[in-house]
Structure formats: C-alpha cells, structure tokens
Amino acid sequence: MNSAEPKSSTLDLVAAVSSMLTPTERRIAEAVIAEPTLLAFGTVSDLADQVGTSRPSIVRFATKLGFDGYTELQQHVRSDLSHRLSRPSERIRHGGKESVPAKRAIGDAISSVFDAIEGDRVSRLVEPVVAAKKVWILSGETSQAGAHALHSGLSMVRPDVTLLEEHFFVGDLSDAGPEDTAVVFDFQRYRRQVAVAARVLAEAGVTIVAITDSPLSPLVDLADTWCQIEVPPVGPFDSSVPVVAMSELLVAQAAKDLHDAATSRIDRIEALWEATETFL
Amino acid sequence: MNSAEPKSSTLDLVAAVSSMLTPTERRIAEAVIAEPTLLAFGTVSDLADQVGTSRPSIVRFATKLGFDGYTELQQHVRSDLSHRLSRPSERIRHGGKESVPAKRAIGDAISSVFDAIEGDRVSRLVEPVVAAKKVWILSGETSQAGAHALHSGLSMVRPDVTLLEEHFFVGDLSDAGPEDTAVVFDFQRYRRQVAVAARVLAEAGVTIVAITDSPLSPLVDLADTWCQIEVPPVGPFDSSVPVVAMSELLVAQAAKDLHDAATSRIDRIEALWEATETFL
DNA sequence: GTGATATTGTAACGATATGAACAGCGCGGA
DNA sequence: TCCGCGCTGTTCATATCGTTACAATATCAC
C-alpha cells in the first residue's frame, strides 16, 4: 500500500505552486496547511465544505499540484504520514530483518516505551501500585532485569514489595488479596508461566498491571491497566533495555506520587546503609 | 471534525475483546496492530485483502469492538491518530522539545553508550572476556541490573561466569587467577566497594575490564580496557538503562566472537529448559 | 454419527465518492 | 457595450464503499 517514499513533503508542493493559485485554490491551500489531517482523512466533499467551495475546485487543486486527481494527492499525503508514524517504532518485527543494527533496534525500542506512556498512561499504571497494600512483581527470564529494577526501585519508595522471578511457586502467592496489586511482565517466550500465576492472583482479587509486548496477550484481559512495549533482539537474545526503562519510569512516577512518604523513606534507608557500612 | 478526545486507545479496545475473537478476527487484530495505518487509511476491501478474508468479517470485527460499523471504528482510529500528530509527543526528529525530561536524559545516555563503543572498542572490551578461563562480574547497587543482564547473557554463551553483587565477600574471589577476566561496573555512588574488590583481583593477575561513568575512576588505572558511559537520573534514582544496554551489546559481541561454541551452547541450554518444563 | 451452533464466505442493496462534461459568473480589453 | 477568457459551481456517470441478508462450511457436544 504505502511503500513509496514521498519525494517531497506535501507542504513543499503546495508552496511550490502557491504563486499561481486562484483565490479559492489559495483558500484550499490555507485550509490544508492549517489542518493536514483534512487532506489525509477527509473526502473531497469534506474539504469543499470546510473551505466553503465546490468539490471540483478541490479536484482541480489536486491536479494543479501535479497529481492525476484528488485520490493521488491523498495517497501522497498518507504515505507521507505513514512514514512519520512508522519511523519511531513498529517496524522491527516485520520489515526489519536481523540486519537492523542494534543501535537502531534499541533506539526504536526506547521510542516505543515513550509511546506507551503517552498522556497520563504512566499515572494510570502507577496508581494501583502506590495505592496497594502489598505489591507483587512477576516476571519471566526475558524481563528479569526489568523486574529487578522495578523491585529495587519500588522498595525504596514504599514497603511490602515482593519480587517473584522465573521459577516461583504458586504457593508464594497465597498471601495476596484484593487490596494488593501485581505488576506482571509478560513477554513472548515466557508467557504461559506468568499467565498462570497472574490468573491465580486475578482470581484472588488482586489488581493486575501488565507490561506486555502484545495487546493480544492473554494477560491483557486480566489486567486492570496495561501497556505495550517493544522487545527488540540484540545479538542472539531479546533486549531488556525497554523493560528496564519502563520500570524506571514507573518507579519515578511512583516516587512522585508518594512524594513525602517516599522521600522520608529514602532518607531512612540511606541512613541505614551508612550505618551498616555499605559504603565500606 | 476531529476534535473529540478518544476515550481509550484503539489498542485498548482490541485488547479488551482479544479473548473472544474468532480465528479470522484474531488475524485481523494482528494485522491492524502490526500496521495501524491500515485501519486509519484503508478501506474494508483493503483490510480484507491484506488479511486474506472477506469484507463482512472486517465489519463484524468492527462491531465486536463496540462500534456501529467499520466507518465508526475508522473515525475513532483517525481521531486517535490526529491527536498524536497534533500533540508534542510524537516529534522526535522535528521539534525535539524537552517534552519529558526523563526522555531526554535516557536518550542522551543511550547515545553515550553508542559513542563509547565507537569503532572496535566493543571488540577490545570483549576480547579478554571470551578468552578468559573464568569470568567474574562485580557490581554495586546502581549497576545491578546491568550486571544481571551481563551475567545471564554471558552464561548463555560461555561457561564459568560468576556474578558478585553488592554485599559479596572478598573471600569469594580467592579462586581468581591470571587466566581470568573480571568485568567491573564502577559508578559514582558505590565506587569504593567495587574498587577494593577490583584491586584484589588485579593484584591476583586478573584482567580487568571496567565500565565506568568517569575517566577519573580509580578503576581506570587498574583496567586493561575500559569504557565510559553516562548514568542519568530518572526520578530520584540513577538509571540502569545505559548499563543494561552496554551489557547486552557486550553479550552480543561475545556471542558473535564465540560463534559456533556459543550457538551449540545456547541450543543445549534451550533443550535443557524444555526438558525441565520451563515453559510449563 | 447426527444435530445444533458458531463461523465464514457470497450475493445484493443503497449510499456515496470521484472525476468529467457542462453551464453560469465576473472581469478586462477593444 | 460587447466579446472573450478564466474561474467557479452544478449536474451526471461510473465505480466503489459499507452494510445487510443469506447460504455454506466447519466445529463441537452428545
């Protein structure tokens, strides 16, 4: 569909012919510049209504830009848009073979993390974590590093955080109850293991926060809030970098939400460390 | 036109019903997740062709998501997209504002990692690791996640990798000898602890590879090879992301250097996992 | 194996979009 | 004033869109 690389931005095209535009065409040009989505999503009629002109004027505008008709112009705009949208992420599993250098892969994955916490998402993810009586962290092998980061970070800002890695027993979860929250890392390879444990927790009334690499994950059903991040391959293994980044952002948000409680807690822990000669 | 704020992301909607999707509907879901522009720009026919199904299945998919028809679904997706385009988030290349402070910090830190391995630096760092009889990994609290990543990765591609975290005893190092290599993570806060241990190892003839955040680190003197990376603050704590990224790049390089030995070792480990029901 | 149910594809419908031909309007020059 | 020309809006034809109703197929329980 949208495989062709646009030679020039659509706005450039408009600018190129701006001097030889008729009055109504100029109004059209101003409208599409002010609101590019009109061109990408709207029909000829939509544009005509918006500008206050007739449909053929829109078509003629398209031809004046060098296209065969409005359809071609719209395709050009859309391929331009798709390009911008697919740049930061989403192209790793498909188009990108393993020829993608690790640098690009990691960079894109990091972008996907920031995409995932768009808006107030990070707040919604963290909210049950700060409100919970106890916090459980479940992870498989791929997300070990992230789970570790989340555990050590959260432990600093609030009490009762338990990390269950890899080969935990379901019995470990027996204490969990409706006032608790579980953060579950759920990635391709080790999905079933954590899925089973998460189901146990969900049935016990625990609030589930899922960090997953696919919205089709079975965990998403169980989860109260969730977010999706990419896990790119680096060398022969899957990268933990996005998971760690996400974990740290969650901790940062939790620290912000807990504010005074967190800072005093951190101070106490630091003092304890100093006292026990952690610094040698 | 597109002024309405989307109540929930389209991915959320797909996820919400993902468990009650029929096989073809699931294929549709996967397609639109892999290529969101299909939904935003494509027609029912486009999607049907892409997925390899009939047009009505697409419409039924839309209704199952809670919309009156495909048109409504597409409008929702488009308003979602417009939002992302208008909001300052998506702009990584263009108006690179300091939208999220943590974002910039992490991005810069990642860049520093790639700067640090410019040229053949990563090869020089890894060379003593692959050649060593035994590999020791030393880290403090800040670099725990990175050390963990390095340990689990290296363990996959070669034997005799030992991780010593935080409160290890110097006695643990008694086995180390001139044929060994130690990778030492050495960061601001927990410098003294690892510095002491590294000195012990260096005096035992162990080759030292240092990952540090400062060229002034005392470890640089002891180290045979070293590299410097940034450790940015995220919230109240230091980020592990750069350390993890560096660790993974080291593992990837080691895997490449060891090649056949590594792959056969990975295969054996995988087989062992399967046998012990890691996948449940 | 058989009936019931769920799932999927086929056919037909109205609605709408685009693009082209045609007609009215305004403006400037002779 | 009249004519010519470019600009704009109206009408129409055709293709395609989204949708619904219906039939065929696959799946499962008993």
Side-chain angles (χ1 to χ4, degrees):
Chain A
M1 177 187 177
N2 43 28
S3 56
E5 173 105 14
K7 295 176 287 291
S8 58
S9 159
T10 310
L11 292 184
D12 292 335
L13 285 176
V14 176
V17 297
S18 68
S19 60
M20 25 181 165
L21 289 180
T22 69
T24 50
E25 283 170 349
R26 176 159 294 272
R27 295 213 322 274
I28 299 171
E30 286 165 2
V32 304
I33 288 173
E35 188 60 53
T37 57
L38 270 180
L39 213 41
F41 297 147
T43 69
V44 173
S45 309
D46 291 335
L47 252 177
D49 289 350
Q50 186 75 24
V51 176
T53 182
S54 63
R55 296 186 281 277
S57 293
I58 306 294
V59 176
R60 280 189 285 263
F61 174 75
T63 63
K64 188 164 275 189
L65 289 186
F67 299 99
D68 256 6
Y70 179 79
T71 308
E72 258 198 16
L73 166 61
Q74 191 175 54
Q75 277 174 357
H76 188 270
V77 171
R78 286 181 172 179
S79 88
D80 193 3
L81 253 184
S82 318
H83 221 258
R84 271 202 244 165
L85 290 173
S86 67
R87 181 56 58 94
S89 60
E90 289 293 348
R91 284 203 49 176
I92 289 170
R93 293 288 181 202
H94 297 78
K97 294 290 183 190
E98 55 178 327
S99 62
V100 176
K103 183 170 179 174
R104 251 295 286 281
I106 291 184
D108 288 350
I110 290 286
S111 298
S112 85
V113 172
F114 290 111
D115 286 348
I117 58 168
E118 187 74 16
D120 63 340
R121 192 96 183 212
V122 64
S123 307
R124 296 215 311 275
L125 287 167
V126 167
E127 190 269 323
V129 172
V130 305
K133 191 170 155 221
K134 282 190 242 173
V135 175
W136 306 84
I137 302 172
L138 273 60
S139 90
E141 165 80 14
T142 309
S143 43
Q144 243 180 11
H148 214 113
L150 184 61
H151 177 244
S152 84
L154 273 187
S155 299
M156 293 288 288
V157 298
R158 59 152 294 162
D160 294 320
V161 182
T162 305
L163 171 62
L164 298 176
E165 285 180 296
E166 213 168 349
H167 300 107
F168 51 80
F169 298 102
V170 177
D172 293 334
L173 308 172
S174 52
D175 288 346
E179 292 179 315
D180 296 354
T181 293
V183 181
V184 185
F185 293 93
D186 167 57
F187 294 100
Q188 201 63 42
R189 272 195 84 137
Y190 300 88
R191 177 148 293 156
R192 297 194 46 197
Q193 186 183 21
V194 293
V196 168
R199 193 169 299 276
V200 171
L201 287 172
E203 283 165 3
V206 176
T207 303
I208 305 289
V209 176
I211 318 285
T212 180
D213 62 348
S214 164
L216 295 179
S217 157
L219 264 197
V220 170
D221 286 330
L222 302 173
D224 295 78
T225 54
W226 64 281
C227 72
Q228 179 194 8
I229 60 180
E230 271 180 45
V231 177
V234 172
F237 308 118
D238 291 336
S239 173
S240 303
V241 169
V243 200
V244 172
M246 174 60 79
S247 297
E248 290 181 351
L249 291 170
L250 291 180
V251 170
Q253 181 68 34
K256 195 173 139 205
D257 289 354
L258 288 167
H259 213 70
D260 300 333
T263 50
S264 71
R265 184 178 168 84
I266 291 175
D267 289 344
R268 285 202 309 276
I269 293 176
E270 299 251 350
L272 218 69
W273 275 348
E274 300 245 13
T276 56
E277 292 179 310
T278 295
F279 296 93
L280 276 191
Chain B
M1 176 189 178
N2 43 28
S3 56
E5 173 105 11
K7 293 175 292 289
S8 55
S9 154
T10 310
L11 286 184
D12 287 325
L13 291 173
V14 175
V17 297
S18 70
S19 63
M20 22 182 167
L21 289 180
T22 69
T24 51
E25 284 168 348
R26 179 158 288 267
R27 295 214 320 275
I28 299 172
E30 286 163 2
V32 303
I33 287 169
E35 190 60 51
T37 57
L38 269 181
L39 256 184
F41 298 147
T43 69
V44 172
S45 310
D46 290 337
L47 251 178
D49 290 348
Q50 186 76 21
V51 176
T53 182
S54 61
R55 294 185 279 279
S57 293
I58 306 294
V59 177
R60 280 189 286 262
F61 174 75
T63 62
K64 189 165 275 191
L65 259 54
F67 298 97
D68 257 5
Y70 179 79
T71 308
E72 260 198 16
L73 166 62
Q74 191 175 55
Q75 277 173 356
H76 188 271
V77 171
R78 286 179 172 180
S79 88
D80 195 2
L81 251 183
S82 316
H83 222 258
R84 272 204 237 165
L85 289 172
S86 61
R87 292 296 178 190
S89 66
E90 192 71 27
R91 301 294 60 86
I92 293 146
R93 296 279 182 220
H94 303 74
K97 300 275 186 188
E98 45 177 344
S99 50
V100 185
K103 184 172 182 175
R104 258 297 284 277
I106 290 184
D108 288 351
I110 289 286
S111 299
S112 85
V113 171
F114 290 112
D115 288 347
I117 59 167
E118 195 68 24
D120 63 340
R121 192 88 180 226
V122 64
S123 307
R124 295 217 311 277
L125 287 167
V126 168
E127 190 270 322
V129 172
V130 306
K133 190 169 156 220
K134 283 191 239 172
V135 175
W136 306 85
I137 301 172
L138 272 60
S139 90
E141 164 82 13
T142 308
S143 43
Q144 244 180 9
H148 214 113
L150 184 61
H151 177 245
S152 83
L154 273 188
S155 299
M156 293 288 288
V157 298
R158 60 150 293 161
D160 295 320
V161 181
T162 304
L163 170 63
L164 298 176
E165 286 180 296
E166 214 168 347
H167 302 105
F168 52 81
F169 299 102
V170 177
D172 293 333
L173 308 172
S174 52
D175 288 346
E179 292 179 314
D180 297 352
T181 294
V183 180
V184 185
F185 293 94
D186 167 57
F187 293 100
Q188 200 63 42
R189 276 196 81 136
Y190 300 87
R191 178 149 293 155
R192 298 193 46 198
Q193 185 183 21
V194 294
V196 169
R199 193 170 300 277
V200 170
L201 288 172
E203 284 167 0
V206 175
T207 303
I208 305 290
V209 175
I211 317 284
T212 180
D213 64 346
S214 163
L216 298 179
S217 160
L219 267 196
V220 171
D221 288 333
L222 301 173
D224 296 78
T225 55
W226 63 280
C227 71
Q228 178 193 4
I229 62 182
E230 266 179 47
V231 177
V234 173
F237 307 117
D238 293 336
S239 174
S240 303
V241 170
V243 200
V244 173
M246 173 61 78
S247 297
E248 290 181 351
L249 291 170
L250 292 179
V251 170
Q253 181 67 33
K256 196 172 140 204
D257 289 354
L258 288 167
H259 213 69
D260 300 332
T263 52
S264 72
R265 184 178 168 84
I266 290 175
D267 289 344
R268 285 203 309 276
I269 294 176
E270 298 252 350
L272 216 69
W273 274 350
E274 301 244 13
T276 55
E277 291 179 310
T278 294
F279 296 94
L280 278 192

